[in-house]
């Protein structure tokens, strides 16, 4: 996983959610009891009995001892791209799939992957200090003392040897540059130091580069994931003073995957860009350091005292600079292609072999990667073993199953993106679902994805038992959403609003909302480039794993103490995802519901209107205060802070086309879902040929939310409902072409894409009406 759990959780809370229509009831607890219960979503009452029996047989094979053993082996050595253990793990995973009856092979791609040769960071004035750039050995952690791991570096930062004054940049996000400007501070020609958090790591050097900085240092502040958050490792799970966070800084908001082969698979003979022409590789050197190494640099800064929101947890006074601290930063790398080993395992479908259910989790990690990603990888292996057991009993899936163990995710979603690009045409014509996972620990279900799948996820979640409470994982998540809704102290407005919305929906008692997907894991190419219906599922929230994210301490020994000691949540993950996979594989008609999506899109359009109004009101109020000289009158003359920049007036944005498209979609969705409910109840019989036609339309529906034109300025991203933000990195922007134009004050563009996105939705409505006509036999 490219982003730590807690920042991802915060981003999830800032997503918009859907309102349940609820045409089918969940079979609560039936999977564990074998009792007669209401029909499963997508199955008739009679077929539900057999499906639940199949799932009980699947669950009986899941063994936490298996997960523990696989995790210990897979995380025993460093497994980043290019490491010998990375290939060994691929071969081990392939052998396991083959042993369980799958048709498994390794598909190899070749991506540009810089490997660090040497690096240095030192303070050359006013005092001398040389950063260690190393992590300590931890007593009781068997792998922490290994010296053959991975040094501290940020993948796809530039090589360079630079010296300059240092400027502290807080989280290095756009607002931070505005705060600097109000104090007369410019980063041009300087080296910046920013702390992790507040946004994706890759944006920090990208924005620094755009503002003229010559180098970027990123450190982990104890306020965010060290001793201010909890006891540090080994007493607790949080980041010790020497812990540092490796990670990619590839500009994935433009496109993920191999920088030299955008849009095509990085096979050995693929046509490649020159490195100098690759838009996603940064132009300045970037280096991650620990808070132990950061403290001397920060303590040596002068200039204004940092505002309260900029202050971390170190025992110093945080200053902004520039200087008097001077830093020397040097990085040298070997830039060459490295092999990526994607393990692809298949079970052909018995009735619909050209309809694919695709399941993936990456295998590579920064150093040992026990939590990220191998905790998710071993849950996926447990699913594959259990499915193999079903195969031996004579069962065959209706649709083809494809399980993928991806390589190269940490560097920039490399393996999954290259496989998607290489097989794009076949995936778009055959795949009915891409289901992703990444990390997994104790805690709460975290379901994100395409909102047409919201009913299915809730139906499954209502029948999965939470290992700690005995309640269903759906009931536990509902309680969490309601409790979080009481927290009115969230510092982020979007976070507070999202908590209130989620709590309201949970309290209403319908289906729980799925979060919208931005980026940060291997689903990106499948949802946002190819337009496949997509889910991302994991458990998290009660662990202390985030403190060792991308460090030498993300180890087996750490995980079995602080992640999921009994592997009970690994089993819960395998149950949850396994049941979704089995139902998608075997439902006669794909189990999709569209009122959830229509309600969600209505919320998204309402948010655009609210965003525009708030931007207009805020700009007018700032202008009024500037004209009234209010900022000057309230400023401390000994600590000069200028007024904020004046925003131009905000005109009206024409969202009427979107409102009309959503209104039409709500009607079409209601019609389809009502007809589908009658089919599931057994009131309607669908001939085989008619069912194949219907499934063909349903399979391609998500693709109707994409367009080859792509998003403005980044046409690799084709989806007009969900995308990672150009200035958020991972956090989702819904209706992104319109939303980001409004946020950027590009009003003509906002109006253009309001109309264009509405046309995309109209096309989706047309296809949904076609599906309804097939379902009704008209």
């Amino acid at each position: 996983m490219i982003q730590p759990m807690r920042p991802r959780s915060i981003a999830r809370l800032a997503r918009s959610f859907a309102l349940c229509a609820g045409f089918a009831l969940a079979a609560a607890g039936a999977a564990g009891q074998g009792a007669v219960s209401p029909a499963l979503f997508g199955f008739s009452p009679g077929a539900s009995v057999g499906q639940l029996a199949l799932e009980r047989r699947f669950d009986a094979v899941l063994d936490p001892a298996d997960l523990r053993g696989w995790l210990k082996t897979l995380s025993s050595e460093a497994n980043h791209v290019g490491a010998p253990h990375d290939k060994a793990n691929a071969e081990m995973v392939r052998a396991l799939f083959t042993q369980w009856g799958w048709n498994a092979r390794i598909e190899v791609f070749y991506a540009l992957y810089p490997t660090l040769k040497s690096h240095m960071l030192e303070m050359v004035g006013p005092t001398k200090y040389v950063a260690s750039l190393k992590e300590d050995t931890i007593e009781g952690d068997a792998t922490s003392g290994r010296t053959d791991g991975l040094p501290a570096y940020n993948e796809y930062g530039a090589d360079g040897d630079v010296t300059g004054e240092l400027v502290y940049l807080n989280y290095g996000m756009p607002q931070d540059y505005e705060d600097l400007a109000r104090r007369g501070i410019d980063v041009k020609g300087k080296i910046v130091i920013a702390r992790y958090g507040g946004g994706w790591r890759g944006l920090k050097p990208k924005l620094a580069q755009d503002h003229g900085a010559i180098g970027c240092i990123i450190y982990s502040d104890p306020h965010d994931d060290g001793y201010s958050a909890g006891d540090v490792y080994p007493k607790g799970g949080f980041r010790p003073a020497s812990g540092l966070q490796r990670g990619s800084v590839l500009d994935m908001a433009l496109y993920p995957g191999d920088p030299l082969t955008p849009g095509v698979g990085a096979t050995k003979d693929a046509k490649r860009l020159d490195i100098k022409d690759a838009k996603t590789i940064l132009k300045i050197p970037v280096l991650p350091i620990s808070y132990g190494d950061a403290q001397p640099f920060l303590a040596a800064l002068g200039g204004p005292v940092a505002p309260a929101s900029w202050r971390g947890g170190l025992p110093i006074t945080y200053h902004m600079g520039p200087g008097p601290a001077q830093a020397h930063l040097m990085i040298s790398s070997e830039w060459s292609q490295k092999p990526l080993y994607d393990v692809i395992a298949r079970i052909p479908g018995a009735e619909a072999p050209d309809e694919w259910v695709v399941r993936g989790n990456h295998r590579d990690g920064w150093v040992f990667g026990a939590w990220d990603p191998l905790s998710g990888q071993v849950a996926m292996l447990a699913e594959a073993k259990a499915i193999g057991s079903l195969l031996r009993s004579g069962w065959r899936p209706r649709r083809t199953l494809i399980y993928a163990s991806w390589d190269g995710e940490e560097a920039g979603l490399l393996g999954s993106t290259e496989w998607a690009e290489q097989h794009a045409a076949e995936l778009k014509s055959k795949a009915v679902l891409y289901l992703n996972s990444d990390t997994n620990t104790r805690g709460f279900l975290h379901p994100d994805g395409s909102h047409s799948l919201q009913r299915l996820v809730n139906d499954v979640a209502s029948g999965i038992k939470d290992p700690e409470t005995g309640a269903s994982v759906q009931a536990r998540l509902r309680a969490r959403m309601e409790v979080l809704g009481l927290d009115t102290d969230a510092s982020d407005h979007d976070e507070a609003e999202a908590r209130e919305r989620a709590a309201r929906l949970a309290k209403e008692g319908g289906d729980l909302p799925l979060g919208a997907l931005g980026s940060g894991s291997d689903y990106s190419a499948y949802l946002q480039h190819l337009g496949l219906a997509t889910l991302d599922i994991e458990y998290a929230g009660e662990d202390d794993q985030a403190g060792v994210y991308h460090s030498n301490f993300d180890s087996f020994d750490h995980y079995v103490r602080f992640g999921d000691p009994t592997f009970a949540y690994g089993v819960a993950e395998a149950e949850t995802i396994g049941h979704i996979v089995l139902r998608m594989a075997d439902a006669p008609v794909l189990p999709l519901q569209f009122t959830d999506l229509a309600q969600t899109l209505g919320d998204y359009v309402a948010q655009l209107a609210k965003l525009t109004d708030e931007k207009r009101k805020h700009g007018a109020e700032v202008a009024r205060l500037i004209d009234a000289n209010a900022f000057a009158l309230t400023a401390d003359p000994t600590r000069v802070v200028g007024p904020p920049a004046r925003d131009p007036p905000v005109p009206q944005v024409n969202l009427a086309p979107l409102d009309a498209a959503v209104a039409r979609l709500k009607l079409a969705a209601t019609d389809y879902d009502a007809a589908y409910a009658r089919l599931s109840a057994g009131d309607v019989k669908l001939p085989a040929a008619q069912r194949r036609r219907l499934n063909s339309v349903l399979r391609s529906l998500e693709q109707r939310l994409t367009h080859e034109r792509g998003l403005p300025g980044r046409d690799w991203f084709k989806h007009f409902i969900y995308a990672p933000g150009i200035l958020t990195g991972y956090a989702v922007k819904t209706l992104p072409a319109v939303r980001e134009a409004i946020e950027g004050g590009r009003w003509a563009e906002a109006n253009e894409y309001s109309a264009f996105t509405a046309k995309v939705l109209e096309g989706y409505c047309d296809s949904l009406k076609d599906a309804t006509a097939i379902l009704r036999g008209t």
Side-chain angles (χ1 to χ4, degrees):
M1 180 175 64
I2 300 182
Q3 183 77 346
M5 188 64 243
R6 281 172 179 75
R8 278 186 77 194
S9 298
I10 292 170
R12 284 192 178 98
L13 288 168
R15 296 168 180 151
S16 299
F17 300 124
L19 182 64
C20 166
F23 283 104
L25 295 174
Q33 302 298 324
V36 177
S37 58
L40 300 179
F41 181 63
F43 295 84
S44 68
S48 296
V49 174
Q51 184 67 22
L52 288 168
L54 180 76
E55 291 170 8
R56 287 196 295 274
R57 288 160 52 202
F58 172 92
D59 294 348
V61 181
L62 303 175
D63 184 351
D66 283 342
L67 280 72
R68 182 184 179 95
W70 295 327
L71 185 70
K72 188 168 187 178
T73 300
L74 291 168
S75 65
S76 61
E77 298 181 38
N79 55 68
H80 55 280
V81 170
H85 197 58
D86 179 49
K87 184 178 182 182
N89 279 350
E91 292 170 344
M92 170 186 162
V93 168
R94 177 184 59 181
L96 288 172
F97 274 112
T98 301
Q99 174 186 327
W100 299 327
W102 295 68
N103 179 7
R105 66 189 182 93
I106 295 176
E107 192 164 346
V108 183
F109 296 95
Y110 298 87
L112 178 69
Y113 188 92
T115 302
L116 185 70
K117 293 194 296 187
S118 61
H119 58 176
M120 170 180 281
L121 175 64
E122 59 181 341
M123 183 161 52
V124 294
T127 58
K128 298 283 187 179
Y129 176 77
V130 179
S132 71
L133 307 180
K134 294 181 179 179
E135 291 168 297
D136 296 338
T137 299
I138 298 290
E139 185 177 357
D141 189 309
T143 54
S144 66
R146 295 185 67 112
T147 59
D148 58 347
L150 191 67
Y153 80 120
N154 287 124
E155 193 82 11
Y156 299 114
D159 287 354
D161 191 331
V162 295
T163 301
E165 283 187 308
L166 197 63
V167 173
Y168 174 50
L169 199 51
N170 192 26
Y171 291 117
M173 294 294 106
Q175 179 61 49
D176 298 321
Y177 286 93
E178 296 178 19
D179 289 343
L180 286 178
R182 293 181 66 185
R183 292 160 177 81
I185 300 172
D186 187 354
V187 303
K188 187 174 183 179
K190 301 175 179 66
I191 296 173
V192 299
I193 181 169
R195 54 176 169 158
Y196 274 110
W200 178 55
R201 87 176 68 79
L203 282 174
K204 303 171 192 290
K206 169 73 180 305
L207 291 171
Q209 170 184 296
D210 291 347
H211 283 82
I214 59 174
C216 180
I217 303 161
I218 314 177
Y219 81 100
S220 300
D221 196 283
H223 172 79
D224 300 304
D225 63 7
Y227 51 73
S228 293
D231 290 325
V232 302
Y233 196 43
K235 181 179 180 181
F238 288 89
R239 195 177 300 272
S242 69
L244 48 86
Q245 183 189 140
R246 298 154 182 82
S248 176
V249 292
L250 194 71
D251 191 1
M252 290 190 294
L254 294 179
Y255 61 88
D258 175 34
L260 305 186
T261 59
V264 298
T267 57
K268 209 170 187 67
D269 58 353
K271 185 177 180 180
R272 287 173 164 79
L273 301 172
D274 290 335
I275 293 178
K276 64 179 176 58
D277 297 324
K279 296 180 180 180
T280 56
I281 299 174
L282 297 188
K283 308 299 184 185
I284 63 173
V286 189
L287 185 68
I289 65 174
S290 65
Y291 60 83
D293 272 338
Q295 183 169 335
F297 290 90
L298 294 169
L301 282 171
V305 172
S309 62
W310 285 45
R311 299 169 197 166
L314 291 169
I316 60 172
T317 300
Y318 284 72
H319 290 263
M320 304 170 83
Q326 295 250 347
H328 170 223
L329 170 62
M330 184 279 292
I331 296 174
S332 175
S333 306
E334 183 270 320
W335 294 75
S336 65
Q337 294 175 31
K338 303 292 191 307
L340 307 170
Y341 302 105
D342 286 344
V343 182
I344 309 297
R346 297 173 186 251
I347 296 173
E351 296 183 30
D354 287 339
E355 294 178 3
W356 295 357
V357 177
V358 186
R359 162 83 171 99
N361 197 109
H362 77 99
R363 189 189 62 254
D364 66 297
W366 288 117
V367 201
F368 307 111
W371 168 51
D372 180 12
L374 295 174
S375 60
Q377 179 79 192
V378 297
M380 186 177 76
L381 291 177
E383 298 160 34
K385 182 180 179 181
I387 290 170
S389 177
L390 297 180
L391 285 174
R392 288 193 300 275
S393 73
W395 168 85
R396 290 293 183 273
R398 178 189 298 269
R399 299 181 176 88
T400 293
L401 301 182
I402 298 178
Y403 269 48
S405 174
W406 305 122
D407 200 1
E409 188 265 5
E410 296 294 5
L413 316 183
L414 301 182
S416 59
T417 299
E418 299 316 313
W419 196 79
E421 291 175 340
Q422 179 67 14
H423 301 283
E426 196 170 19
L427 283 162
K428 290 171 76 172
S429 68
K430 296 179 179 179
V432 301
L433 172 70
Y434 176 73
L435 202 163
N436 191 70
S437 61
D438 200 314
T439 62
N440 198 71
T441 59
R442 293 190 311 114
F444 302 88
L445 176 66
H446 282 269
D448 297 338
S450 301
H451 287 89
S452 57
L453 295 162
Q454 183 168 298
R455 174 87 280 278
L456 172 64
V457 172
N458 274 266
D459 200 38
V460 168
S462 68
I464 303 296
K465 183 178 178 180
D466 177 69
E468 292 177 334
T469 65
S472 74
V473 298
Q474 184 198 44
R476 193 171 190 222
L477 179 57
R478 185 183 305 280
R480 177 175 172 82
M481 287 179 171
E482 292 192 52
V483 170
L484 287 176
L486 297 175
D487 182 3
T488 59
D489 297 328
S491 58
D492 182 85
H493 175 267
D494 289 340
E495 178 184 339
E497 185 178 66
R499 286 185 178 185
E500 184 279 328
R501 186 184 304 114
R504 171 175 51 82
L505 294 175
K507 188 175 181 180
E508 288 172 356
D511 280 352
L512 298 177
L514 297 185
L517 285 170
S519 187
S521 195
D522 288 304
Y523 52 77
S524 195
Y526 300 91
L527 176 64
Q528 292 143 355
H529 187 62
L530 300 182
L532 308 184
T534 298
L535 289 171
D536 185 62
I537 304 286
E538 61 187 319
Y539 286 82
E542 293 182 331
D543 60 283
D544 292 347
Q545 287 292 142
V548 296
Y549 173 70
H550 286 191
S551 78
N552 209 42
F553 310 125
D554 183 4
S555 64
F556 176 81
D557 289 321
H558 188 284
Y559 186 80
V560 297
R561 287 186 61 194
F562 302 108
D564 183 15
T566 66
F567 290 83
Y569 281 91
V571 171
E573 171 87 333
E575 289 176 345
T576 305
I577 293 179
H579 293 190
I580 293 173
V581 166
L582 292 174
R583 294 185 196 183
M584 283 296 292
D586 281 349
V589 173
L590 292 171
L592 306 177
Q593 181 171 290
F594 299 98
T595 45
D596 295 329
L597 173 66
Q599 285 288 350
T600 301
L601 288 174
D603 288 347
Y604 292 166
V605 176
Q607 289 169 14
L608 296 181
K610 184 178 180 181
L611 171 65
T612 306
D613 289 344
E614 289 180 346
K615 191 175 181 69
R616 181 181 298 110
K617 291 174 183 176
H618 178 266
E621 183 63 11
V622 168
R624 185 188 71 80
L625 293 172
I626 291 174
D627 292 341
N629 205 31
F631 292 102
L633 291 172
T634 58
D636 181 342
T638 67
R639 298 181 176 90
V640 177
V641 178
R646 189 189 296 263
D647 291 328
V650 176
Q652 294 296 322
V653 176
N654 183 15
L655 299 178
L658 283 170
D659 286 328
V662 168
R664 184 178 174 221
L665 177 59
K666 288 180 178 179
L667 292 174
T670 299
D671 286 347
Y672 177 87
D673 288 352
Y676 186 71
R678 289 193 293 274
L679 176 69
S680 296
D683 297 338
V684 177
K685 302 298 182 184
L686 207 61
Q690 197 172 336
R691 187 174 66 239
R692 286 193 295 271
R693 286 176 54 217
L694 176 58
N695 281 327
S696 179
V697 173
L698 293 174
R699 173 194 50 73
S700 63
L701 264 174
E702 190 81 22
Q703 293 176 44
R704 297 305 301 269
L705 297 174
T706 69
H707 195 280
E708 278 305 304
R709 176 177 180 173
L711 296 182
R714 45 182 184 141
D715 58 9
W716 186 92
F717 290 93
K718 310 292 187 186
H719 210 293
F720 277 77
I721 308 303
Y722 317 113
I726 193 75
L727 290 176
T728 60
Y730 289 157
V732 68
K733 293 292 182 180
T734 54
L735 301 174
V738 187
R739 184 181 296 271
E740 293 195 315
I742 293 172
E743 291 173 343
R746 302 185 299 275
W747 306 114
E749 183 179 307
N751 283 312
E752 175 189 355
Y753 279 96
S754 173
F756 186 84
T757 305
K759 288 182 180 179
V760 170
L761 289 177
E762 292 285 354
Y764 187 89
C765 287
D766 291 341
S767 290
L768 185 55
K769 289 173 72 68
D770 291 343
T772 306
I774 295 170
L775 190 54
R776 289 176 172 164
T778 60

